[in-house]
Amino acid sequence: MPAQSMEDLVALCKRRGFVFQASEIYGGIQGVYDYGPLGVELKNNLKNAWWRSMVYERDDVEGLDSAILTNPRVLHYSGHEETFADPLVDCRQCKSRWRADHLDDGACPRCGSSDITEPRPFNLMFKTNLGPVEDDSSFAYLRPETAQSVFTNFKNVLDSTSARLPFGIAQIGKAFRNEITPRNFIFRVREFEQMELEFFVEPGTDEDWHERWVEDRLDWWRQQGINGNNLKLLHVPEDELAHYSKATVDVMYQFPHGLEELEGIANRTDFDLGSHTKNQRDLDIDATVLANDESNARLAVQDQADRRWSVPYVIEPSAGVDRGVLAVLNEAYRVDRLANGTERTLLSLPAHLAPIKAAVIPLKRNHQGLVDRARGIKTELMRLGLGRIVFENTGNIGKGYRRHDEVGTPLCITVDFETLEDESVTVRDRDTMAQERVATTSLANYLRERIA
């Protein structure tokens, strides 16, 4: 069963090198985290799974990797400068600050006082200066989402590929939000990664595509090992929709701290492309009459039959990588009671997400024959391109098994003295702890079937 508390996951992540507090030796930075040796592997595997499903397995999606620094005019015309804010309140008693919508019955979560200031808007976007002089004309924003650079590159992608409606542009990248109260480990942070697809469709087909993408995204999360019983759909009420959204469906997951958003699938209509199209929705406007800070692009498509221009609608599935990692870890976390009365902690991760795919362990530490053969097997298996295969010369098989159970390694391969005689190894399964003897000549196919 999933972890019973966030503390379980935090302890495991620190102990086994998944996630660390950023700048920890100096007291850390609230809401900022570093991914350790195993965390970066898990994170990359999740991103690779998303990219494979979005780009490689489809013929109607192209990829993009855009800059983090963003021209302020992009976020002005997108509406972010005006609307991207949270309601901020202060507790007069303990001097803490909170989002107004996170208060329970109007009381301070820290001290319980009801002596709270009136809410006021707090801009979530980070500013930074460009160049040697700091003034109002030389700043940029760290992007608060990855979507806007997809819209501003719409014409570039359209002109440089054979894309035709419907088609999508996918991107994975960092975004930054100056959260008032980062909380719940890596769930709500100030620096995070997004996996976003902007899927452009003909106006009038958007509602059907929206429904299709909601079902596709549910299926994908199930393929990442998420129990469907822990996933719920939330149709966001009209009065809570983002300024760009016609309709949004959130995929909710039962995290240790409660049911929260894992991914949002929004129908953004033509809001974004329309906002950046010469700053007007008039596609025939002459670019020479525009103000200096307005876009001169025509972010539209031309009908091949009647030659009329139209602005596509867009469906946006947007998932947080960090939230995805947290959900996958929570879902995989197990504590098993063994027949001898002891317990073992394991991460029952899907093999394609596991940070380490297999561990090759010589039975006796520093025995030259066993060590050399184990290293050789590790080298042979790495050529399969399945992911990270590790050689571990610890000499304690039992402890090695437990350690790899806890980090989610699907298979442990033991090289023993019998290996030197008949070229067979013992392969142990993480979930069942079952062991079987496999010939080294069959080991590559065995791993392909179990891992790939």
Side-chain angles (χ1 to χ4, degrees), residues 47 50-51 55 61-70 143 145-154 156-157 168-175 193-194 196:
K47 292 190 291 185
W50 186 90
W51 195 263
V55 181
V61 174
E62 302 290 344
L64 184 72
D65 182 10
S66 62
I68 288 171
L69 292 173
T70 305
R143 63 185 181 193
E145 62 176 26
T146 59
Q148 291 307 313
S149 54
V150 172
F151 301 130
T152 57
N153 276 292
F154 175 81
N156 290 330
V157 174
I169 302 176
Q171 180 168 209
I172 300 174
K174 289 274 186 136
E193 274 192 280
Q194 290 180 296
E196 287 194 324

PDB file of all heavy atoms in Angstrom, residues 47 50-51 55 61-70 143 145-154 156-157 168-175 193-194 196:
ATOM      1  N   LYS A  47      10.268  11.580 -17.159  1.00  0.00           N
ATOM      2  CA  LYS A  47      10.227  12.518 -18.284  1.00  0.00           C
ATOM      3  C   LYS A  47      10.371  11.784 -19.615  1.00  0.00           C
ATOM      4  O   LYS A  47       9.695  12.104 -20.593  1.00  0.00           O
ATOM      5  CB  LYS A  47      11.321  13.582 -18.133  1.00  0.00           C
ATOM      6  CG  LYS A  47      11.078  14.532 -16.975  1.00  0.00           C
ATOM      7  CD  LYS A  47      12.029  15.720 -16.998  1.00  0.00           C
ATOM      8  CE  LYS A  47      13.454  15.325 -16.691  1.00  0.00           C
ATOM      9  NZ  LYS A  47      14.341  16.510 -16.596  1.00  0.00           N
ATOM     10  N   TRP A  50       7.139  10.157 -20.558  1.00  0.00           N
ATOM     11  CA  TRP A  50       6.193  11.153 -21.072  1.00  0.00           C
ATOM     12  C   TRP A  50       6.558  11.545 -22.500  1.00  0.00           C
ATOM     13  O   TRP A  50       5.692  11.605 -23.373  1.00  0.00           O
ATOM     14  CB  TRP A  50       6.205  12.377 -20.160  1.00  0.00           C
ATOM     15  CG  TRP A  50       5.183  13.420 -20.486  1.00  0.00           C
ATOM     16  CD1 TRP A  50       3.912  13.512 -20.007  1.00  0.00           C
ATOM     17  CD2 TRP A  50       5.355  14.550 -21.363  1.00  0.00           C
ATOM     18  NE1 TRP A  50       3.280  14.615 -20.529  1.00  0.00           N
ATOM     19  CE2 TRP A  50       4.137  15.270 -21.354  1.00  0.00           C
ATOM     20  CE3 TRP A  50       6.408  15.023 -22.146  1.00  0.00           C
ATOM     21  CZ2 TRP A  50       3.958  16.433 -22.107  1.00  0.00           C
ATOM     22  CZ3 TRP A  50       6.223  16.182 -22.895  1.00  0.00           C
ATOM     23  CH2 TRP A  50       5.015  16.868 -22.867  1.00  0.00           C
ATOM     24  N   TRP A  51       7.831  11.821 -22.742  1.00  0.00           N
ATOM     25  CA  TRP A  51       8.277  12.246 -24.071  1.00  0.00           C
ATOM     26  C   TRP A  51       8.040  11.150 -25.106  1.00  0.00           C
ATOM     27  O   TRP A  51       7.618  11.418 -26.237  1.00  0.00           O
ATOM     28  CB  TRP A  51       9.756  12.619 -24.024  1.00  0.00           C
ATOM     29  CG  TRP A  51      10.230  13.383 -25.218  1.00  0.00           C
ATOM     30  CD1 TRP A  51      10.863  12.887 -26.320  1.00  0.00           C
ATOM     31  CD2 TRP A  51      10.106  14.798 -25.436  1.00  0.00           C
ATOM     32  NE1 TRP A  51      11.152  13.896 -27.210  1.00  0.00           N
ATOM     33  CE2 TRP A  51      10.697  15.080 -26.692  1.00  0.00           C
ATOM     34  CE3 TRP A  51       9.562  15.839 -24.687  1.00  0.00           C
ATOM     35  CZ2 TRP A  51      10.748  16.366 -27.221  1.00  0.00           C
ATOM     36  CZ3 TRP A  51       9.615  17.122 -25.215  1.00  0.00           C
ATOM     37  CH2 TRP A  51      10.202  17.378 -26.464  1.00  0.00           C
ATOM     38  N   VAL A  55       5.652  12.254 -28.027  1.00  0.00           N
ATOM     39  CA  VAL A  55       6.343  12.621 -29.268  1.00  0.00           C
ATOM     40  C   VAL A  55       6.661  11.399 -30.127  1.00  0.00           C
ATOM     41  O   VAL A  55       6.276  11.335 -31.303  1.00  0.00           O
ATOM     42  CB  VAL A  55       7.631  13.419 -28.956  1.00  0.00           C
ATOM     43  CG1 VAL A  55       8.328  13.822 -30.257  1.00  0.00           C
ATOM     44  CG2 VAL A  55       7.310  14.652 -28.119  1.00  0.00           C
ATOM     45  N   VAL A  61       2.843  15.300 -33.183  1.00  0.00           N
ATOM     46  CA  VAL A  61       3.415  16.146 -32.131  1.00  0.00           C
ATOM     47  C   VAL A  61       4.894  16.368 -32.406  1.00  0.00           C
ATOM     48  O   VAL A  61       5.624  15.423 -32.749  1.00  0.00           O
ATOM     49  CB  VAL A  61       3.230  15.513 -30.731  1.00  0.00           C
ATOM     50  CG1 VAL A  61       3.955  16.340 -29.668  1.00  0.00           C
ATOM     51  CG2 VAL A  61       1.740  15.392 -30.375  1.00  0.00           C
ATOM     52  N   GLU A  62       5.326  17.614 -32.263  1.00  0.00           N
ATOM     53  CA  GLU A  62       6.738  17.984 -32.377  1.00  0.00           C
ATOM     54  C   GLU A  62       7.236  18.441 -31.006  1.00  0.00           C
ATOM     55  O   GLU A  62       6.452  18.846 -30.141  1.00  0.00           O
ATOM     56  CB  GLU A  62       6.926  19.114 -33.390  1.00  0.00           C
ATOM     57  CG  GLU A  62       6.426  18.811 -34.782  1.00  0.00           C
ATOM     58  CD  GLU A  62       7.250  17.773 -35.514  1.00  0.00           C
ATOM     59  OE1 GLU A  62       8.390  17.503 -35.060  1.00  0.00           O
ATOM     60  OE2 GLU A  62       6.784  17.242 -36.537  1.00  0.00           O
ATOM     61  N   GLY A  63       8.550  18.402 -30.805  1.00  0.00           N
ATOM     62  CA  GLY A  63       9.145  18.799 -29.537  1.00  0.00           C
ATOM     63  C   GLY A  63       9.734  20.197 -29.584  1.00  0.00           C
ATOM     64  O   GLY A  63       9.996  20.762 -30.653  1.00  0.00           O
ATOM     65  N   LEU A  64       9.952  20.760 -28.386  1.00  0.00           N
ATOM     66  CA  LEU A  64      10.524  22.103 -28.258  1.00  0.00           C
ATOM     67  C   LEU A  64      11.275  22.184 -26.941  1.00  0.00           C
ATOM     68  O   LEU A  64      10.908  21.531 -25.961  1.00  0.00           O
ATOM     69  CB  LEU A  64       9.393  23.150 -28.280  1.00  0.00           C
ATOM     70  CG  LEU A  64       9.793  24.629 -28.254  1.00  0.00           C
ATOM     71  CD1 LEU A  64      10.402  25.039 -29.591  1.00  0.00           C
ATOM     72  CD2 LEU A  64       8.576  25.508 -27.953  1.00  0.00           C
ATOM     73  N   ASP A  65      12.345  22.971 -26.923  1.00  0.00           N
ATOM     74  CA  ASP A  65      13.063  23.279 -25.684  1.00  0.00           C
ATOM     75  C   ASP A  65      13.395  24.759 -25.727  1.00  0.00           C
ATOM     76  O   ASP A  65      14.318  25.176 -26.423  1.00  0.00           O
ATOM     77  CB  ASP A  65      14.339  22.430 -25.581  1.00  0.00           C
ATOM     78  CG  ASP A  65      15.096  22.678 -24.283  1.00  0.00           C
ATOM     79  OD1 ASP A  65      14.539  23.354 -23.391  1.00  0.00           O
ATOM     80  OD2 ASP A  65      16.241  22.195 -24.155  1.00  0.00           O
ATOM     81  N   SER A  66      12.648  25.557 -25.007  1.00  0.00           N
ATOM     82  CA  SER A  66      12.755  27.004 -25.129  1.00  0.00           C
ATOM     83  C   SER A  66      13.436  27.624 -23.914  1.00  0.00           C
ATOM     84  O   SER A  66      13.655  26.970 -22.893  1.00  0.00           O
ATOM     85  CB  SER A  66      11.365  27.628 -25.322  1.00  0.00           C
ATOM     86  OG  SER A  66      10.553  27.359 -24.196  1.00  0.00           O
ATOM     87  N   ALA A  67      13.729  28.916 -24.024  1.00  0.00           N
ATOM     88  CA  ALA A  67      14.476  29.638 -22.995  1.00  0.00           C
ATOM     89  C   ALA A  67      13.624  29.882 -21.756  1.00  0.00           C
ATOM     90  O   ALA A  67      12.398  29.995 -21.823  1.00  0.00           O
ATOM     91  CB  ALA A  67      14.970  30.972 -23.553  1.00  0.00           C
ATOM     92  N   ILE A  68      14.308  29.964 -20.619  1.00  0.00           N
ATOM     93  CA  ILE A  68      13.648  30.269 -19.346  1.00  0.00           C
ATOM     94  C   ILE A  68      13.416  31.778 -19.207  1.00  0.00           C
ATOM     95  O   ILE A  68      12.354  32.219 -18.776  1.00  0.00           O
ATOM     96  CB  ILE A  68      14.486  29.730 -18.175  1.00  0.00           C
ATOM     97  CG1 ILE A  68      14.384  28.190 -18.124  1.00  0.00           C
ATOM     98  CG2 ILE A  68      14.053  30.338 -16.850  1.00  0.00           C
ATOM     99  CD1 ILE A  68      15.341  27.539 -17.150  1.00  0.00           C
ATOM    100  N   LEU A  69      14.404  32.585 -19.573  1.00  0.00           N
ATOM    101  CA  LEU A  69      14.249  34.037 -19.525  1.00  0.00           C
ATOM    102  C   LEU A  69      13.203  34.477 -20.550  1.00  0.00           C
ATOM    103  O   LEU A  69      13.271  34.079 -21.715  1.00  0.00           O
ATOM    104  CB  LEU A  69      15.584  34.726 -19.814  1.00  0.00           C
ATOM    105  CG  LEU A  69      16.675  34.561 -18.748  1.00  0.00           C
ATOM    106  CD1 LEU A  69      17.986  35.147 -19.240  1.00  0.00           C
ATOM    107  CD2 LEU A  69      16.260  35.208 -17.438  1.00  0.00           C
ATOM    108  N   THR A  70      12.256  35.288 -20.108  1.00  0.00           N
ATOM    109  CA  THR A  70      11.104  35.614 -20.940  1.00  0.00           C
ATOM    110  C   THR A  70      10.932  37.127 -21.071  1.00  0.00           C
ATOM    111  O   THR A  70      10.959  37.850 -20.074  1.00  0.00           O
ATOM    112  CB  THR A  70       9.822  35.007 -20.328  1.00  0.00           C
ATOM    113  OG1 THR A  70      10.017  33.604 -20.141  1.00  0.00           O
ATOM    114  CG2 THR A  70       8.621  35.232 -21.218  1.00  0.00           C
ATOM    115  N   ARG A 143      10.263  32.358 -16.494  1.00  0.00           N
ATOM    116  CA  ARG A 143       8.928  31.972 -16.959  1.00  0.00           C
ATOM    117  C   ARG A 143       8.137  31.263 -15.855  1.00  0.00           C
ATOM    118  O   ARG A 143       8.653  30.381 -15.166  1.00  0.00           O
ATOM    119  CB  ARG A 143       9.026  31.069 -18.188  1.00  0.00           C
ATOM    120  CG  ARG A 143       9.727  29.744 -17.938  1.00  0.00           C
ATOM    121  CD  ARG A 143       9.885  28.955 -19.213  1.00  0.00           C
ATOM    122  NE  ARG A 143      10.551  27.673 -18.939  1.00  0.00           N
ATOM    123  CZ  ARG A 143      11.058  26.877 -19.875  1.00  0.00           C
ATOM    124  NH1 ARG A 143      10.991  27.227 -21.140  1.00  0.00           N
ATOM    125  NH2 ARG A 143      11.628  25.739 -19.548  1.00  0.00           N
ATOM    126  N   GLU A 145       5.483  29.471 -16.494  1.00  0.00           N
ATOM    127  CA  GLU A 145       4.970  28.261 -17.128  1.00  0.00           C
ATOM    128  C   GLU A 145       5.733  28.080 -18.434  1.00  0.00           C
ATOM    129  O   GLU A 145       6.339  29.031 -18.948  1.00  0.00           O
ATOM    130  CB  GLU A 145       3.472  28.376 -17.406  1.00  0.00           C
ATOM    131  CG  GLU A 145       3.115  29.493 -18.372  1.00  0.00           C
ATOM    132  CD  GLU A 145       1.643  29.545 -18.729  1.00  0.00           C
ATOM    133  OE1 GLU A 145       0.819  29.093 -17.917  1.00  0.00           O
ATOM    134  OE2 GLU A 145       1.324  30.041 -19.833  1.00  0.00           O
ATOM    135  N   THR A 146       5.692  26.875 -18.980  1.00  0.00           N
ATOM    136  CA  THR A 146       6.405  26.633 -20.233  1.00  0.00           C
ATOM    137  C   THR A 146       5.527  26.895 -21.451  1.00  0.00           C
ATOM    138  O   THR A 146       6.017  26.914 -22.579  1.00  0.00           O
ATOM    139  CB  THR A 146       6.926  25.182 -20.290  1.00  0.00           C
ATOM    140  OG1 THR A 146       5.820  24.273 -20.185  1.00  0.00           O
ATOM    141  CG2 THR A 146       7.911  24.910 -19.174  1.00  0.00           C
ATOM    142  N   ALA A 147       4.238  27.118 -21.243  1.00  0.00           N
ATOM    143  CA  ALA A 147       3.297  27.193 -22.360  1.00  0.00           C
ATOM    144  C   ALA A 147       3.546  28.380 -23.283  1.00  0.00           C
ATOM    145  O   ALA A 147       3.448  28.250 -24.510  1.00  0.00           O
ATOM    146  CB  ALA A 147       1.865  27.249 -21.826  1.00  0.00           C
ATOM    147  N   GLN A 148       3.843  29.560 -22.714  1.00  0.00           N
ATOM    148  CA  GLN A 148       3.890  30.753 -23.552  1.00  0.00           C
ATOM    149  C   GLN A 148       4.950  30.687 -24.641  1.00  0.00           C
ATOM    150  O   GLN A 148       4.751  31.202 -25.750  1.00  0.00           O
ATOM    151  CB  GLN A 148       4.092  31.997 -22.679  1.00  0.00           C
ATOM    152  CG  GLN A 148       2.898  32.331 -21.803  1.00  0.00           C
ATOM    153  CD  GLN A 148       1.602  32.424 -22.581  1.00  0.00           C
ATOM    154  OE1 GLN A 148       1.539  33.070 -23.631  1.00  0.00           O
ATOM    155  NE2 GLN A 148       0.561  31.772 -22.069  1.00  0.00           N
ATOM    156  N   SER A 149       6.074  30.045 -24.357  1.00  0.00           N
ATOM    157  CA  SER A 149       7.109  29.938 -25.389  1.00  0.00           C
ATOM    158  C   SER A 149       6.681  29.002 -26.514  1.00  0.00           C
ATOM    159  O   SER A 149       7.187  29.106 -27.639  1.00  0.00           O
ATOM    160  CB  SER A 149       8.428  29.458 -24.773  1.00  0.00           C
ATOM    161  OG  SER A 149       8.235  28.260 -24.057  1.00  0.00           O
ATOM    162  N   VAL A 150       5.756  28.086 -26.220  1.00  0.00           N
ATOM    163  CA  VAL A 150       5.192  27.263 -27.293  1.00  0.00           C
ATOM    164  C   VAL A 150       4.354  28.144 -28.214  1.00  0.00           C
ATOM    165  O   VAL A 150       4.451  28.061 -29.446  1.00  0.00           O
ATOM    166  CB  VAL A 150       4.342  26.115 -26.715  1.00  0.00           C
ATOM    167  CG1 VAL A 150       3.606  25.375 -27.833  1.00  0.00           C
ATOM    168  CG2 VAL A 150       5.208  25.144 -25.924  1.00  0.00           C
ATOM    169  N   PHE A 151       3.541  29.017 -27.633  1.00  0.00           N
ATOM    170  CA  PHE A 151       2.692  29.881 -28.453  1.00  0.00           C
ATOM    171  C   PHE A 151       3.520  30.876 -29.253  1.00  0.00           C
ATOM    172  O   PHE A 151       3.235  31.129 -30.429  1.00  0.00           O
ATOM    173  CB  PHE A 151       1.691  30.622 -27.559  1.00  0.00           C
ATOM    174  CG  PHE A 151       0.805  29.696 -26.780  1.00  0.00           C
ATOM    175  CD1 PHE A 151       0.641  29.845 -25.411  1.00  0.00           C
ATOM    176  CD2 PHE A 151       0.145  28.651 -27.408  1.00  0.00           C
ATOM    177  CE1 PHE A 151      -0.166  28.987 -24.689  1.00  0.00           C
ATOM    178  CE2 PHE A 151      -0.672  27.780 -26.693  1.00  0.00           C
ATOM    179  CZ  PHE A 151      -0.820  27.953 -25.320  1.00  0.00           C
ATOM    180  N   THR A 152       4.549  31.449 -28.645  1.00  0.00           N
ATOM    181  CA  THR A 152       5.365  32.421 -29.388  1.00  0.00           C
ATOM    182  C   THR A 152       6.211  31.743 -30.468  1.00  0.00           C
ATOM    183  O   THR A 152       6.671  32.410 -31.400  1.00  0.00           O
ATOM    184  CB  THR A 152       6.279  33.218 -28.439  1.00  0.00           C
ATOM    185  OG1 THR A 152       7.115  32.320 -27.696  1.00  0.00           O
ATOM    186  CG2 THR A 152       5.455  34.060 -27.472  1.00  0.00           C
ATOM    187  N   ASN A 153       6.420  30.428 -30.349  1.00  0.00           N
ATOM    188  CA  ASN A 153       7.150  29.680 -31.384  1.00  0.00           C
ATOM    189  C   ASN A 153       6.217  28.942 -32.342  1.00  0.00           C
ATOM    190  O   ASN A 153       6.683  28.164 -33.178  1.00  0.00           O
ATOM    191  CB  ASN A 153       8.091  28.663 -30.732  1.00  0.00           C
ATOM    192  CG  ASN A 153       9.418  29.266 -30.337  1.00  0.00           C
ATOM    193  OD1 ASN A 153      10.222  29.647 -31.182  1.00  0.00           O
ATOM    194  ND2 ASN A 153       9.644  29.371 -29.044  1.00  0.00           N
ATOM    195  N   PHE A 154       4.920  29.187 -32.228  1.00  0.00           N
ATOM    196  CA  PHE A 154       3.946  28.475 -33.057  1.00  0.00           C
ATOM    197  C   PHE A 154       4.268  28.591 -34.543  1.00  0.00           C
ATOM    198  O   PHE A 154       4.322  27.603 -35.281  1.00  0.00           O
ATOM    199  CB  PHE A 154       2.541  29.004 -32.762  1.00  0.00           C
ATOM    200  CG  PHE A 154       1.461  28.448 -33.638  1.00  0.00           C
ATOM    201  CD1 PHE A 154       0.906  27.202 -33.376  1.00  0.00           C
ATOM    202  CD2 PHE A 154       0.992  29.167 -34.740  1.00  0.00           C
ATOM    203  CE1 PHE A 154      -0.091  26.683 -34.181  1.00  0.00           C
ATOM    204  CE2 PHE A 154      -0.014  28.656 -35.550  1.00  0.00           C
ATOM    205  CZ  PHE A 154      -0.554  27.407 -35.269  1.00  0.00           C
ATOM    206  N   ASN A 156       7.108  29.461 -35.969  1.00  0.00           N
ATOM    207  CA  ASN A 156       8.401  28.846 -36.297  1.00  0.00           C
ATOM    208  C   ASN A 156       8.262  27.343 -36.511  1.00  0.00           C
ATOM    209  O   ASN A 156       8.831  26.779 -37.448  1.00  0.00           O
ATOM    210  CB  ASN A 156       9.408  29.112 -35.178  1.00  0.00           C
ATOM    211  CG  ASN A 156       9.831  30.560 -35.103  1.00  0.00           C
ATOM    212  OD1 ASN A 156       9.862  31.252 -36.112  1.00  0.00           O
ATOM    213  ND2 ASN A 156      10.152  31.025 -33.899  1.00  0.00           N
ATOM    214  N   VAL A 157       7.516  26.687 -35.614  1.00  0.00           N
ATOM    215  CA  VAL A 157       7.321  25.247 -35.747  1.00  0.00           C
ATOM    216  C   VAL A 157       6.494  24.939 -36.984  1.00  0.00           C
ATOM    217  O   VAL A 157       6.794  24.015 -37.752  1.00  0.00           O
ATOM    218  CB  VAL A 157       6.650  24.668 -34.481  1.00  0.00           C
ATOM    219  CG1 VAL A 157       6.307  23.198 -34.671  1.00  0.00           C
ATOM    220  CG2 VAL A 157       7.559  24.844 -33.270  1.00  0.00           C
ATOM    221  N   GLY A 168       0.423  18.956 -32.249  1.00  0.00           N
ATOM    222  CA  GLY A 168       0.824  19.453 -30.945  1.00  0.00           C
ATOM    223  C   GLY A 168       2.294  19.814 -30.880  1.00  0.00           C
ATOM    224  O   GLY A 168       3.095  19.397 -31.726  1.00  0.00           O
ATOM    225  N   ILE A 169       2.638  20.610 -29.881  1.00  0.00           N
ATOM    226  CA  ILE A 169       4.026  20.949 -29.567  1.00  0.00           C
ATOM    227  C   ILE A 169       4.241  20.602 -28.097  1.00  0.00           C
ATOM    228  O   ILE A 169       3.528  21.100 -27.219  1.00  0.00           O
ATOM    229  CB  ILE A 169       4.329  22.435 -29.811  1.00  0.00           C
ATOM    230  CG1 ILE A 169       4.046  22.807 -31.270  1.00  0.00           C
ATOM    231  CG2 ILE A 169       5.785  22.747 -29.457  1.00  0.00           C
ATOM    232  CD1 ILE A 169       4.221  24.294 -31.574  1.00  0.00           C
ATOM    233  N   ALA A 170       5.211  19.729 -27.835  1.00  0.00           N
ATOM    234  CA  ALA A 170       5.477  19.241 -26.479  1.00  0.00           C
ATOM    235  C   ALA A 170       6.749  19.861 -25.941  1.00  0.00           C
ATOM    236  O   ALA A 170       7.704  20.112 -26.684  1.00  0.00           O
ATOM    237  CB  ALA A 170       5.594  17.713 -26.484  1.00  0.00           C
ATOM    238  N   GLN A 171       6.768  20.093 -24.635  1.00  0.00           N
ATOM    239  CA  GLN A 171       7.947  20.660 -23.999  1.00  0.00           C
ATOM    240  C   GLN A 171       8.036  20.214 -22.542  1.00  0.00           C
ATOM    241  O   GLN A 171       7.018  20.126 -21.848  1.00  0.00           O
ATOM    242  CB  GLN A 171       7.917  22.192 -24.052  1.00  0.00           C
ATOM    243  CG  GLN A 171       9.132  22.844 -23.405  1.00  0.00           C
ATOM    244  CD  GLN A 171       9.250  24.329 -23.694  1.00  0.00           C
ATOM    245  OE1 GLN A 171      10.339  24.868 -23.725  1.00  0.00           O
ATOM    246  NE2 GLN A 171       8.142  25.021 -23.912  1.00  0.00           N
ATOM    247  N   ILE A 172       9.251  19.922 -22.115  1.00  0.00           N
ATOM    248  CA  ILE A 172       9.549  19.677 -20.708  1.00  0.00           C
ATOM    249  C   ILE A 172      10.558  20.729 -20.279  1.00  0.00           C
ATOM    250  O   ILE A 172      11.574  20.925 -20.949  1.00  0.00           O
ATOM    251  CB  ILE A 172      10.137  18.271 -20.478  1.00  0.00           C
ATOM    252  CG1 ILE A 172       9.154  17.187 -20.941  1.00  0.00           C
ATOM    253  CG2 ILE A 172      10.489  18.067 -19.002  1.00  0.00           C
ATOM    254  CD1 ILE A 172       9.734  15.780 -20.869  1.00  0.00           C
ATOM    255  N   GLY A 173      10.290  21.421 -19.179  1.00  0.00           N
ATOM    256  CA  GLY A 173      11.251  22.436 -18.767  1.00  0.00           C
ATOM    257  C   GLY A 173      10.916  23.051 -17.427  1.00  0.00           C
ATOM    258  O   GLY A 173       9.855  22.823 -16.851  1.00  0.00           O
ATOM    259  N   LYS A 174      11.852  23.848 -16.942  1.00  0.00           N
ATOM    260  CA  LYS A 174      11.732  24.503 -15.642  1.00  0.00           C
ATOM    261  C   LYS A 174      10.790  25.700 -15.714  1.00  0.00           C
ATOM    262  O   LYS A 174      10.733  26.413 -16.711  1.00  0.00           O
ATOM    263  CB  LYS A 174      13.107  24.979 -15.167  1.00  0.00           C
ATOM    264  CG  LYS A 174      14.057  23.859 -14.749  1.00  0.00           C
ATOM    265  CD  LYS A 174      13.835  23.465 -13.301  1.00  0.00           C
ATOM    266  CE  LYS A 174      14.907  22.454 -12.870  1.00  0.00           C
ATOM    267  NZ  LYS A 174      15.459  22.744 -11.573  1.00  0.00           N
ATOM    268  N   ALA A 175      10.076  25.900 -14.615  1.00  0.00           N
ATOM    269  CA  ALA A 175       9.263  27.091 -14.432  1.00  0.00           C
ATOM    270  C   ALA A 175       9.435  27.550 -12.987  1.00  0.00           C
ATOM    271  O   ALA A 175       9.892  26.784 -12.131  1.00  0.00           O
ATOM    272  CB  ALA A 175       7.795  26.813 -14.749  1.00  0.00           C
ATOM    273  N   GLU A 193       9.578  21.580 -12.543  1.00  0.00           N
ATOM    274  CA  GLU A 193       9.559  21.228 -13.958  1.00  0.00           C
ATOM    275  C   GLU A 193       8.151  20.863 -14.386  1.00  0.00           C
ATOM    276  O   GLU A 193       7.393  20.268 -13.623  1.00  0.00           O
ATOM    277  CB  GLU A 193      10.508  20.069 -14.253  1.00  0.00           C
ATOM    278  CG  GLU A 193      11.930  20.496 -14.511  1.00  0.00           C
ATOM    279  CD  GLU A 193      12.775  19.384 -15.087  1.00  0.00           C
ATOM    280  OE1 GLU A 193      13.224  18.540 -14.305  1.00  0.00           O
ATOM    281  OE2 GLU A 193      12.974  19.354 -16.315  1.00  0.00           O
ATOM    282  N   GLN A 194       7.830  21.227 -15.614  1.00  0.00           N
ATOM    283  CA  GLN A 194       6.533  20.904 -16.194  1.00  0.00           C
ATOM    284  C   GLN A 194       6.705  20.035 -17.428  1.00  0.00           C
ATOM    285  O   GLN A 194       7.690  20.165 -18.162  1.00  0.00           O
ATOM    286  CB  GLN A 194       5.784  22.182 -16.587  1.00  0.00           C
ATOM    287  CG  GLN A 194       5.303  23.019 -15.415  1.00  0.00           C
ATOM    288  CD  GLN A 194       4.572  24.264 -15.878  1.00  0.00           C
ATOM    289  OE1 GLN A 194       5.166  25.122 -16.512  1.00  0.00           O
ATOM    290  NE2 GLN A 194       3.285  24.346 -15.575  1.00  0.00           N
ATOM    291  N   GLU A 196       4.451  19.672 -20.579  1.00  0.00           N
ATOM    292  CA  GLU A 196       3.269  20.309 -21.166  1.00  0.00           C
ATOM    293  C   GLU A 196       3.162  20.016 -22.655  1.00  0.00           C
ATOM    294  O   GLU A 196       4.160  20.021 -23.383  1.00  0.00           O
ATOM    295  CB  GLU A 196       3.299  21.828 -20.965  1.00  0.00           C
ATOM    296  CG  GLU A 196       3.013  22.251 -19.538  1.00  0.00           C
ATOM    297  CD  GLU A 196       2.706  23.735 -19.419  1.00  0.00           C
ATOM    298  OE1 GLU A 196       3.317  24.530 -20.155  1.00  0.00           O
ATOM    299  OE2 GLU A 196       1.863  24.075 -18.585  1.00  0.00           O
TER     300      GLU A 196
END
